[in-house]
Amino acid sequence: MVGDENLEPDDVPEEKGVLAGENDAAEQEGPSDDELVLKSQQGDVHAFDQLVERYHSKIYGLTYNMTSNREDAEDLTQEIFIKAFEALPRFKGNSSFYTWLYRIGVNKTINYRKKRNRKRALSLDSFDQDIKMDEAYHDLTAKGSPLRSISLSELQIKLNEALQNLSEKHRTVVVMHDMQGIPHDEIAKVVGASVGTVRSRLFYARRQMQAELSEFVK
Amino acid sequence: MSENNTMDISTDEKADALLNQLMRLKSYETPEAARMTRNKQNIMRQVRQAQSEQRKPLLDRLEISMPWLFAEPKYGIAALFIAFIGLQYAGINARNSTTSTGIYTTTSSLASYEAVANIQSNRYPNLPRDYQLFGQPQGDQTVVPAGFEFKK
């Protein structure tokens, strides 16, 4: 798992639990995850296609925020789904499909970075135009804010650099909690640590992020 | 002292709130729709490829190889000729192995097993040491075996 030295997604354990966002998926129209998984296990590629459609953006979000590189994120997303398809016959349904897929995602992303053994240059997705409608954006660019002096793209780079300077395990909890809104206990199941450890990692990671962004966060 | 603590707490809270706002901005980083569509297509292409690499039934394999035969007629004809020669060779071998060469006869014309079995041994019989093989010659008579008598 995430805390282990050798992270192999081949034997992804299934723990009971659901991740935030799975309920959203359940609310989606069409067959349930369980039905789609069963059909996929019987060789129905169309059923797996529906699972890819359902979870692609979440897995891409995880890999993109973990790497701050959209090409790497695309490759990883691809690898994660292929891995999931290959491992699907061994999936017994002890955990939800989404939790299982997420665990593959986290392990594969960390392994990928370890194999590269160096930081890649940032390759960032552009901001959506809706950002200018957001209250946080207005507050950060209001008169008297330290962010007023820098452009949005500079801010984006600083933010991603600060994120990439965190260790793998700290970045994992920050991405999952602060960016993907996954609760502590569910993160604990994915990373194979206690809730206390997750909270502690999150606290430390946030302190480090504040230090990295000290010129803005005062 | 307590005033300083209060100030520290409020500074920490403010920093936390600012960090939350910055993190919130990251959620506005959105990938291009076209790239995502392409990525999904790539995933499904690889999934189909992975599935097709699994074991296929014989009929499916034949379905793949048959069009090749017609697409390249000269190789197809050559392949058929080689297959024909191979079958001929296999047929000849099979016929030879079932009808092997030899002399054929009916069982009535063969010596019976019992007759052969009655022959005890071809060994020379055990005789006493002083057994007389030849008779004593009389006068100018030739040496003849013991017990031999001229016909009178």
Side-chain angles (χ1 to χ4, degrees), chain B residues 6 33 69 73 80 114:
Chain B
T6 315
L69 205 71
L80 280 173
E114 287 77 13

Side-chain angles (χ1 to χ4, degrees), chain A residues 43 45 49 53 56 64-65 74 78 82 126-128 134 139 156 159-160 179 206 209-210 217, chain B residues 15-16 18 20-26 28-32 35-36 39-40 43-44 46-47 51:
Chain A
V45 177
D49 193 6
E53 196 65 47
H56 185 271
Y64 172 74
N65 287 313
E74 283 172 11
Q78 217 161 300
I82 302 298
S126 52
F127 276 126
D128 194 306
D134 195 286
D139 286 350
Q156 189 187 15
L159 197 54
N160 278 286
M179 290 166 196
R206 290 175 69 88
M209 287 280 285
Q210 282 175 4
V217 184
Chain B
D16 265 344
L18 269 168
N20 282 341
Q21 285 181 322
L22 284 170
M23 294 291 202
R24 190 183 162 88
L25 292 186
K26 254 193 87 63
Y28 284 95
E29 286 180 344
T30 46
E32 291 169 27
R35 288 179 75 108
M36 290 299 97
N39 192 240
K40 283 182 218 169
I43 290 167
M44 288 317 296
Q46 284 196 33
V47 163
Q51 201 191 32

